[in-house]
Structure formats: structure tokens, C-alpha cells
Amino acid sequence: MQEHKTAVSVFWFRRDLRLEDNHGLYRAIEGDHPVLPLFIFDTNITDELPADDARISFIHKTLHSLNNQLSEHGSALFCIKDEPLAGWKKITEKFDVKAVYANEDYEPYAKSRDNSIHDFLKSRGIPFSLVKDQVIFEKAEVVKADEKPYTVYTPYRNKWQDLFREERPAPYPSDDMHSFVKLQFRFPGLSELGFRSSGIKVPDYKLERIADYAETRDIPALAGTSRLGPHLRFGTIGIRTLVKKAESYPVFLGELIWREFFMQILYHFPHVVDQNFRPKYDGIAWRNDAEEFERWKEGRTGYPIVDAGMRELNSTGFMHNRVRMVVGSFLCKHLLVDWKWGEAYFAEKLLDYELSSNNGNWQWVAGTGCDASPYFRVFNPTAQQQKFDPKLDYINKWVPELDSTGYPEPIVEHRLARERAIRAYKKGLL
């Protein structure tokens, strides 16, 4: 006798780990069947991560909280670890899946994954609906008059704001707890997934800091940033909620628009993942000195603000935004190390790692990206330190041995390094 399978619509959580104002979840709830909430720990991603990856610990903790919310209403999160296609084959065997809903992701791997799942579900006669949730404007919604994508931020921002004034997206009422299927599943422990708890924690975000963001954002010694990065990355707060809050604070809103700018750059120009946005810089002869790269990673360059930034990153998974620019420029310009090396290290360490922003900002500091500034812009680390940490409050926290014989001499002299970088860039221009 054939086993009866429960008819469900599946909502597939990915980087949208919340019940409130979740567009894809709202669409699933509006469907004709009870909703099965699903999360897949994707082994194509997790197999590349260390066992104590802080981002996995955060995702697991967030999912556990979601599961508790669902359990209070007789439902549960169906959570598995698998390669996505293999996982979906098992899901369609276990349940009578009538429809699948998810929020769209625009990164190259995500697009490839979703195309694969779409084809599989289509072969089973199951519709797969992807909707916009992680951005206000996606793909080709903010384009020039000739429908070509913007490659410079300021005109993109202006068009974004014009469109936003015309079309303010409303939140989606997606937290109807009675719409989930009444089934219970055992929630897996972190160790069952092959991970262990990280000593690095994702801090809660502080929305109240948005009000002072314009005045405090460049001072690394202050807790003047919102710490929203990881929460935006994994969707524990929705972009519609955040933009509504940010409307009164144009400097902070501009940072959110930068995020969408880099997302559409990645969407329209996917070659940026592993190539220069501007091919004319392909001829740069990077030095790529492995020993100097290690000193940079460990915070032993002899430039205090650079070293403080790298030590903050290694210890906490966070680095102040102003300092990110300084350490990035130092690696690419002072040491002439390929920006892709720095980008990969940040991808490994940053709690708020997001491919489009990480790539866009690294190419910005390297001078190879979609930025109007000339390649000979080279940050002076000492001048940056004097301007943004004049009393050494930030530096003393992370470089306590600054005034001792244990602190290294500068790895390179600024003036000579700047001249060497400009020569290398000029010679490498194609």
C-alpha cells in the first residue's frame, strides 16, 4: 500500500532568515497548500568552510530561533545538509510538493544552483517561483535611458532615488503562523552538521546608530557603525524595513544604495568575480610576495593602522569600514599584491562577506574597478591614522606592543612604495 504523502508548498529559506516582511514566504502563504519551511546546508558551500566558521554558527543559531517560533504553533523547520539537487530529490520523494517558492539570489553560484533546481522541479511538474526580496531594485530596474547598466555610482544613486520616490515598496505580511504545515521535525545540532560553535559571535545590530552615522562612521575607535552587515547578508532584517528607517539619514541610505550598485555590477558584468572590471589593467605586474602577504594578514606590516585593522578582522570577523579601505589600498598599492588575494582572505574572515560588495570594494581600492578616480590614488596609512585615530585609541586596542621593541619596522617606505605602484600601474596599462 502506497504511503500517503503530505501535500505542501515549500518555502526555501536561503539568505532571508526571518518570518517578518519576507516576500517569498508571503507568496508561499498566499498559495493553495500549507507551507513547509525548508533550509538546506549546501555542502557545495559548507565543505569549503572550517568546522568553527562563525557564519555557520550564526546561521544555525538563527534557524534554531526560527524553529522555536514555528514550534509554538505546531510546525517546524525542515533542515537538512546536502548538495541542493540531491536534497531536492529526497524532498520530492518525502512530500507531495505542489509548488516551491524562494527569494531570488543574484550571485553566479546561486543563479546556477537555482537554474538546476528549476529544471529538476519542472521535470516533476512542480512550479518554482523566485521573487525579489534582498534588494529594493534588482537586475535591470535601475538603468540608463538607453537601458544599459550604470557603471558609475553617483548617476546610479540619483536614478535609484528617483525611482524610489515613485515606488516605495511596502512590507509583506508574511508572519501568518497558521499557514505552516503541522508537522514536527527534529532540528539538527551543530555537531550533527559537522560543525562546532565558533568563539566569534555576530553582534546584534544597532538601528539607533543610523542617526549619528554621518558623524561617527569614519572613527574606528567609536562604536559608530550599525553592525548591520551580517544581518543584511543573511536576511535577519529586511531591506524594506531598513530603507524605511534610513530615509531620514541620507549618508547611511547611500551605503545601502552602494550595496545595490555593486550587486547590479556583478549581475551585468559577472566577469568581475575573477577578472578586473576594466581589462586595461590586466597588464599590471603584481609582485605577489607570499611572505609580505602573510605579514599583512597577521597585522605585522609596521604600519599601525593597517596592523590594527587586520588584527581586528582576525579576532572578531569585523573591520571598520574606513580601515578596510586603508588595509586594502596598502596591500594592492604598497605591496603590489593582486587584489584577488586580499578579496579571498576577506571572504574567509568577514562575518558580513557578500561577494558583490567585497569584490566591488576590493577593485575600488585596487583601482581596477568601476570607479572614476585615477589609478594613482594611494592612501597614506600614516596620514589616515593621524586624521581618523589621532589619539591612537583604536590602534592601542589592537597593537598594544606599539611602543616596544617587539613591534616591527615598516615593511616598506610609503613614498617609495607609492612611486613603485604608480610605475607598475602605468607600465601595465593596456
Side-chain angles (χ1 to χ4, degrees):
M1 190 172 171
Q2 189 173 11
E3 179 187 358
H4 172 71
K5 294 195 290 188
T6 305
V8 295
S9 291
V10 178
F11 175 68
W12 183 8
F13 283 100
R14 287 103 71 91
R15 45 179 301 175
D16 42 27
L17 307 183
R18 66 188 187 282
L19 298 177
E20 306 78 18
D21 187 20
N22 186 316
H23 188 184
L25 179 56
Y26 170 75
R27 295 297 174 195
I29 287 171
E30 289 288 286
D32 298 326
H33 300 278
V35 176
L36 173 72
L38 167 74
F39 186 85
I40 301 173
F41 281 92
D42 182 347
T43 54
N44 291 333
I45 297 171
T46 61
D47 285 356
E48 302 297 317
L49 300 175
D52 63 346
D53 189 276
R55 293 160 294 192
I56 293 292
S57 292
F58 175 67
I59 291 169
H60 185 266
K61 178 184 175 184
T62 304
L63 293 175
H64 189 262
S65 176
L66 285 176
N67 188 60
N68 287 343
Q69 288 178 263
L70 292 164
S71 296
E72 290 175 5
H73 297 270
S75 186
L77 181 68
F78 188 60
C79 186
I80 62 174
K81 181 183 179 184
D82 212 333
E83 189 278 326
L85 185 57
W88 272 104
K89 288 176 180 177
K90 295 169 188 172
I91 291 162
T92 54
E93 289 168 5
K94 185 176 179 68
F95 302 97
D96 180 12
V97 178
K98 297 298 188 182
V100 176
Y101 298 85
N103 291 312
E104 190 157 7
D105 195 342
Y106 311 99
E107 295 184 358
Y109 168 72
K111 291 195 293 184
S112 173
R113 174 201 62 202
D114 287 352
N115 287 338
S116 164
I117 301 305
H118 175 271
D119 292 345
F120 166 71
L121 292 173
K122 185 178 180 181
S123 74
R124 300 289 179 96
I126 302 170
F128 182 22
S129 301
L130 291 170
V131 295
K132 176 178 67 171
D133 182 74
Q134 62 173 272
V135 291
I136 300 298
F137 297 114
E138 66 175 359
K139 299 178 182 176
E141 289 186 323
V142 181
V143 291
K144 295 186 281 189
D146 60 6
E147 298 192 350
K148 291 182 180 179
Y150 285 101
T151 59
V152 177
Y153 168 72
T154 300
Y156 173 88
R157 180 197 64 201
N158 293 340
K159 182 67 173 288
W160 190 101
Q161 291 177 315
D162 288 344
L163 291 172
F164 183 74
R165 280 188 280 268
E166 298 170 10
E167 178 190 334
R168 295 174 185 270
Y172 293 95
S174 59
D175 51 354
D176 180 0
M177 303 301 288
H178 301 291
S179 299
F180 294 98
V181 66
K182 304 304 180 187
L183 293 172
Q184 291 295 313
F185 311 105
R186 185 173 169 279
F187 186 75
L190 199 55
S191 59
E192 294 172 62
L193 298 165
F195 289 89
R196 62 178 184 269
S197 183
S198 172
I200 294 176
K201 307 300 180 188
V202 174
D204 294 335
Y205 56 81
K206 305 287 186 183
L207 280 180
E208 62 271 17
R209 290 182 184 163
I210 293 175
D212 299 320
Y213 181 78
E215 290 76 36
T216 63
R217 65 175 183 149
D218 278 325
I219 311 302
L222 296 177
T225 56
S226 64
R227 296 300 183 99
L228 276 159
H231 298 276
L232 267 175
R233 172 66 179 88
F234 298 111
T236 53
I237 186 171
I239 188 63
R240 289 170 294 277
T241 299
L242 190 51
V243 166
K244 184 177 181 180
K245 179 78 174 177
E247 276 189 81
S248 303
Y249 308 106
V251 175
F252 186 83
L253 180 62
E255 296 302 311
L256 298 179
I257 300 172
W258 265 111
R259 173 178 173 268
E260 297 199 3
F261 173 70
F262 282 139
M263 280 187 171
Q264 62 94 36
I265 288 291
L266 177 63
Y267 180 82
H268 289 287
F269 306 97
H271 73 274
V272 299
V273 170
D274 53 14
Q275 299 174 53
N276 295 321
F277 176 81
R278 298 187 189 278
K280 71 178 184 177
Y281 291 109
D282 289 349
I284 296 172
W286 301 107
R287 292 176 63 249
N288 289 343
D289 185 300
E291 183 180 341
E292 291 184 355
F293 182 55
E294 286 301 312
R295 287 183 61 178
W296 175 84
K297 288 198 298 184
E298 294 168 3
R300 294 187 300 108
T301 67
Y303 280 87
I305 196 165
V306 173
D307 295 341
M310 296 308 296
R311 294 182 195 188
E312 180 183 30
L313 174 65
N314 293 332
S315 296
T316 69
F318 171 80
M319 189 193 300
H320 188 276
N321 290 349
R322 166 60 57 176
V323 185
R324 292 187 198 197
M325 289 190 284
V326 177
V327 303
S329 175
F330 187 88
L331 183 71
C332 299
K333 302 290 180 65
H334 284 71
L335 303 184
L336 276 174
V337 171
D338 191 335
W339 60 265
K340 291 187 281 293
W341 289 32
E343 184 200 37
Y345 190 69
F346 271 31
E348 178 186 331
K349 294 290 184 180
L350 280 172
L351 295 174
D352 62 5
Y353 167 69
E354 190 165 53
L355 174 57
S356 54
S357 294
N358 194 46
N359 183 283
N361 281 307
W362 269 100
Q363 294 220 40
W364 186 88
V365 296
T368 64
C370 48
D371 179 39
S373 295
Y375 64 85
F376 45 81
R377 176 190 56 202
V378 180
F379 282 108
N380 181 331
T382 304
Q384 291 285 310
Q385 172 187 317
Q386 291 167 346
K387 184 173 183 181
F388 298 111
D389 191 33
K391 297 181 180 178
L392 305 182
D393 295 328
Y394 174 72
I395 287 166
N396 284 332
K397 177 178 180 179
W398 296 106
V399 190
E401 80 280 21
L402 179 63
D403 293 324
S404 74
T405 55
Y407 188 65
E409 291 294 317
I411 194 171
V412 67
E413 199 274 322
H414 168 69
R415 184 180 59 82
L416 296 177
R418 181 181 184 278
E419 291 171 355
R420 180 176 67 182
I422 292 173
R423 284 197 306 271
Y425 271 69
K426 192 172 183 179
K427 185 177 180 181
L429 282 173
L430 299 178

